[in-house]
Amino acid sequence: MERQTVISDLSREIETLTRLHIQHGLHRTKGFANQKSNIEKLIHRYFE
């Protein structure tokens, strides 16, 4: 996958995670954990 696309995808996912934590205070929810897991999966897929 193209480097810019990877960076864009990760950036979008991290922004969502940040919003859940900072703006909505949802860092202890299942949705937050799921979003974090999605980011980890993206990193593994792109960089393995």
Side-chain angles (χ1 to χ4, degrees):
M1 185 174 274
E2 186 180 325
R3 188 178 199 281
Q4 261 327 99
T5 303
V6 170
I7 291 170
S8 177
D9 287 351
L10 284 172
S11 177
R12 190 172 345 116
E13 294 297 326
I14 291 169
E15 286 176 21
T16 300
L17 189 70
T18 302
R19 267 194 315 278
L20 288 173
H21 178 56
I22 295 173
Q23 294 177 352
H24 303 291
L26 301 174
H27 56 281
R28 293 189 179 105
T29 65
K30 184 172 178 138
F32 185 87
N34 289 341
Q35 186 65 25
K36 186 176 174 182
S37 177
N38 288 342
I39 291 170
E40 291 169 350
K41 288 175 187 175
L42 280 172
I43 290 170
H44 286 292
R45 181 175 26 170
Y46 292 142
F47 298 106
E48 280 191 341

